[in-house]
Amino acid sequence: MKLGELVKKYNLETTGQTQLELKVVKETLFDEKLRILVDTYETFQKERVRAGNRILMIAKGRDNADEIRGEFLTLLCEMEDIERKIAKDIEAHLKNNPVYADFLKHIKGVGPLLSARLMALPLRLGEHLSSWNAYFGLTPYYWKAVCENGHKILYSKEVGTCRVCGGAIVKLEKVEGAPRRVAGYQTFWNPYARKTAFLMGKQFIKLGTRGYYGRVYRNAKQRYSAKYPNEKPFLIDARAVRSAVKLFIAHFHQAVHDIYGIPVSKPYAFEYLAHEDFISWREVVRIEKAYME
Ligand SMILES: [Zn+2]
């Protein structure tokens, strides 16, 4: 069945404009429409990049453009148009979101797509920052556990009983460093969230000194280089990126709860002041707005 027929049959809206009802629902941040828009955008992008690479390969092997290649190029350009359209739709959708309007929009390095990725995460509201960090895979260490019934699970906190069956833990090992997938073990982080954190880190690196988190990254890199002179540069870099992203997540956590007016049970100082020189998200927005190149 053709798409147009499907739309008719199920009486779907085809006006294109997405309209967000501002419902502060909410147990989680999850915005389903945003997730669908971002997924669609990324699928198109992936296909276009893949097709583009293939054309490049063909082009490298031939001297003259041929007709088939020409046809493909036209199609690819159309795909780009569609991507742009979806990106616009995402922005229109985000405009009504107060976390975007008051916080994310002002943060350099976090554009509409990353914002949409963040707002589409089923992060639980009212939960502690440490739970959010675990969800993003941003923990300094983790535990490898096996229970009496053989469940193998990675945990972000030390546990006494199995998350699945409640059975006793018979093997427990603390592992230092950023969590890694271990064959046969369930993970505690969400792969989509972790990818989002990774993409954000890449943006913060690119920023240079232009954005607040770009400067946080650079300063952290200097600090860690001085503190760990024998560590390999790529590990220093990974550490610095992680700390910039983690600080961003702390501000994001604070902004979301402030803006939606949802209390977090742990005291402010305990949650946020674990970060060196923590300033509030409002202050970060002020700095981003004031910064001139
Ligand atoms: Zn178990």
Side-chain angles (χ1 to χ4, degrees):
M1 192 182 276
K2 285 186 179 152
L3 271 183
E5 290 168 19
L6 269 180
V7 167
K8 244 190 199 159
K9 184 174 172 196
Y10 293 101
N11 197 23
L12 299 170
E13 280 292 328
T14 51
T15 48
Q17 265 314 312
T18 46
Q19 266 153 29
L20 173 69
E21 289 163 52
L22 239 194
K23 279 183 289 188
V24 181
V25 200
K26 278 206 152 195
E27 277 173 31
T28 76
L29 214 55
F30 183 55
D31 180 330
E32 193 180 8
K33 211 162 187 175
L34 267 181
R35 178 65 189 258
I36 293 168
L37 282 169
V38 178
D39 282 353
T40 311
Y41 178 88
E42 289 178 350
T43 306
F44 266 98
Q45 191 182 47
K46 211 155 94 188
E47 280 306 310
R48 181 192 34 97
V49 170
R50 212 169 64 164
N53 287 339
R54 195 178 291 169
I55 285 173
L56 210 65
M57 299 290 276
I58 296 171
K60 277 180 181 165
R62 293 182 187 196
D63 294 323
N64 299 312
D66 56 50
E67 260 176 58
I68 295 173
R69 187 154 65 103
E71 274 174 39
F72 269 127
L73 282 175
T74 316
L75 273 175
L76 285 187
C77 293
E78 281 171 25
M79 271 174 95
E80 252 175 339
D81 288 343
I82 295 173
E83 279 167 47
R84 264 193 291 274
K85 211 170 158 258
I86 302 171
K88 266 197 188 145
D89 216 12
I90 289 173
E91 264 192 272
H93 189 82
L94 278 169
K95 250 182 216 156
N96 299 322
N97 186 302
V99 179
Y100 180 71
D102 293 351
F103 178 57
L104 296 172
K105 196 177 84 183
H106 306 287
I107 302 303
K108 296 194 174 75
V110 182
L113 282 162
L114 279 176
S115 298
R117 263 185 161 258
L118 285 167
M119 298 308 296
L121 291 171
L123 285 164
R124 295 189 71 79
L125 299 176
E127 271 201 353
H128 301 149
L129 177 59
S130 55
S131 310
W132 282 32
N133 281 334
Y135 191 76
F136 282 96
L138 291 164
T139 52
Y141 31 73
Y142 59 100
W143 281 263
K144 259 173 88 174
V146 182
C147 83
E148 56 186 346
N149 293 315
H151 294 122
K152 295 173 164 181
I153 301 176
L154 303 180
Y155 293 91
S156 63
K157 291 179 222 169
E158 191 164 11
V159 285
T161 53
C162 174
R163 185 176 74 195
V164 174
C165 68
I169 300 289
V170 291
K171 218 175 123 192
L172 189 69
E173 184 195 341
K174 185 178 180 180
V175 189
E176 297 281 338
R180 287 174 174 209
R181 188 173 284 286
V182 182
Y185 282 77
Q186 286 183 30
T187 58
F188 55 82
W189 61 88
N190 171 297
Y192 190 84
R194 201 170 191 187
K195 173 92 186 283
T196 306
F198 169 79
L199 293 172
M200 226 144 38
K202 266 173 67 172
Q203 292 303 316
F204 293 160
I205 293 172
K206 265 197 224 157
L207 273 179
T209 54
R210 270 180 298 139
Y212 179 78
Y213 297 101
R215 295 192 291 281
V216 169
Y217 157 72
R218 292 201 156 200
N219 294 340
K221 204 167 155 176
Q222 276 181 0
R223 212 169 52 236
Y224 291 139
S225 303
K227 198 171 164 190
Y228 309 101
N230 299 320
E231 187 130 284
K232 291 193 180 82
F234 80 93
L235 287 175
I236 295 278
D237 199 63
R239 229 186 248 267
V241 178
R242 224 167 31 238
S243 77
V245 174
K246 235 177 138 171
L247 182 62
F248 168 80
I249 299 296
H251 286 133
F252 179 54
H253 180 265
Q254 195 190 32
V256 164
H257 289 88
D258 271 3
I259 290 166
Y260 288 138
I262 297 166
V264 182
S265 57
K266 251 187 210 176
Y268 172 90
F270 194 85
E271 281 283 88
Y272 302 115
L273 297 184
H275 295 273
E276 295 155 58
D277 311 322
F278 189 85
I279 54 171
S280 92
W281 67 275
R282 288 182 205 277
E283 187 69 2
V284 175
V285 169
R286 201 190 56 74
I287 291 171
E288 290 284 51
K289 280 182 178 170
Y291 191 79
M292 298 282 177
E293 278 179 70

